[in-house]
C-alpha cells in the first residue's frame, strides 16, 4: 500500500514539476528574446554613432515593404522626415533613434509596449506586458515618386501586425 501511495505522489510531483518547469521555461525564453532584441537595437545604435556607415548595412537588410504611398512629392518627404525626427512617439511607437542614411532614406529605431494574452510562470494564461523593438526604413523612391516603409521579415502574425501598425501611424501623420 505504501509503495502505491509513494508512486502516486511521486508521479503527481513529477507532473507538477514538469508543469512548473515548462511554464517557467516559456517565460524565461520570452524574457531572453526580448533582451536580445533590445540589446541588438541598442548596440546597433551605438555602432551607428561611432561608425555612421553601419546605418547603410542595416538599411540594406530592411527590404520587406510594409506600406507605400504613391504620388508623394520630395518636398512632402522632407516634411515627413522632420516630423519623424521631432517626435518622441508616433502612434504607440516610441522613437528611440533616427538617422539619415541618404537624403532619401531615414532609419527609425522604435519600441512598442503592449499587453498580450500569454502564458505566465505558473503556466496559466494571463495578460503579459511585452516590449518589441523594431527598426524601419522610411524611404523616398524618386523614380516612382512614392513614399515607402520597409522593415525586416516578420516571423509571427503579431510581428507583422506591429510593422503594419507603424505604417498606419506614419500614414495617419502625413
Amino acid at each position: 500500500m505504501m509503495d502505491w501511495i509513494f508512486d502516486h505522489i511521486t508521479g503527481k510531483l513529477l507532473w507538477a514539476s514538469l508543469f512548473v518547469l515548462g511554464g517557467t521555461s516559456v517565460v524565461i525564453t520570452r524574457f531572453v528574446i526580448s533582451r536580445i532584441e533590445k540589446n541588438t537595437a541598442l548596440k546597433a545604435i551605438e555602432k551607428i554613432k561611432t561608425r555612421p556607415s553601419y546605418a547603410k548595412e542595416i538599411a540594406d537588410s530592411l527590404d520587406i515593404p510594409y506600406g507605400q504611398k504613391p504620388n508623394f512629392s520630395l518636398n512632402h518627404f522632407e516634411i515627413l522626415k522632420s516630423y519623424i525626427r521631432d517626435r518622441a512617439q508616433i502612434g504607440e511607437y516610441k522613437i528611440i533613434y533616427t538617422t539619415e542614411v541618404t537624403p532619401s532614406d531615414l532609419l527609425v529605431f522604435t519600441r512598442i509596449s503592449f499587453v498580450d494574452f500569454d502564458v505566465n510562470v505558473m503556466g496559466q494564461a494571463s495578460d503579459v506586458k511585452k516590449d518589441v523593438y523594431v527598426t524601419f526604413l522610411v524611404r523616398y523612391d524618386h523614380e516612382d515618386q512614392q513614399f515607402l516603409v520597409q522593415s525586416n521579415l516578420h516571423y509571427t502574425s503579431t510581428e507583422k501586425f506591429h510593422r503594419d501598425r507603424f505604417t498606419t501611424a506614419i500614414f495617419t501623420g502625413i
Side-chain angles (χ1 to χ4, degrees):
M1 181 70 173
M2 287 302 279
D3 287 341
W4 180 83
I5 293 172
F6 179 74
D7 289 343
H8 186 71
I9 291 173
T10 304
K12 286 190 177 204
L13 286 174
L14 178 64
W15 281 109
S17 297
L18 288 174
F19 184 71
V20 170
L21 182 62
T24 303
S25 65
V26 167
V27 172
I28 290 171
T29 301
R30 184 176 56 232
F31 176 78
V32 168
I33 289 171
S34 175
R35 288 293 176 187
I36 289 170
E37 284 180 348
K38 179 181 179 180
N39 288 338
T40 300
L42 297 178
K43 285 181 181 179
I45 292 167
E46 289 306 312
K47 196 169 182 179
I48 289 170
K49 289 178 179 178
T50 59
R51 189 175 62 119
S53 63
Y54 185 62
K56 175 88 169 100
E57 292 177 40
I58 294 174
D60 288 343
S61 72
L62 304 176
D63 57 352
I64 306 297
Y66 284 92
Q68 64 185 32
K69 192 155 189 93
N71 303 320
F72 206 79
S73 73
L74 181 58
N75 185 43
H76 204 176
F77 182 70
E78 293 299 325
I79 294 168
L80 177 65
K81 284 193 313 188
S82 294
Y83 170 80
I84 294 170
R85 283 191 200 120
D86 293 343
R87 299 285 181 277
Q89 187 165 331
I90 296 177
E92 300 170 72
Y93 295 81
K94 292 193 185 332
I95 305 298
I96 298 171
Y97 183 74
T98 62
T99 187
E100 189 172 281
V101 180
T102 69
S104 300
D105 294 330
L106 182 68
L107 201 54
V108 183
F109 291 84
T110 67
R111 183 185 83 223
I112 183 170
S113 298
F114 66 102
V115 175
D116 195 13
F117 191 68
D118 210 338
V119 177
N120 66 16
V121 177
M122 297 305 294
Q124 298 171 341
S126 65
D127 288 335
V128 178
K129 183 178 181 250
K130 295 181 180 180
D131 288 329
V132 176
Y133 293 80
V134 185
T135 305
F136 294 95
L137 180 64
V138 176
R139 168 173 277 171
Y140 182 73
D141 181 348
H142 292 276
E143 187 175 307
D144 294 332
Q145 293 186 335
Q146 64 180 346
F147 159 64
L148 303 162
V149 176
Q150 296 175 200
S151 190
N152 56 349
L153 183 63
H154 60 274
Y155 296 103
T156 67
S157 57
T158 302
E159 289 179 5
K160 181 181 184 323
F161 181 63
H162 288 304
R163 284 158 178 75
D164 289 341
R165 283 177 49 191
F166 180 76
T167 300
T168 300
I170 290 282
F171 288 161
T172 302
I174 57 176

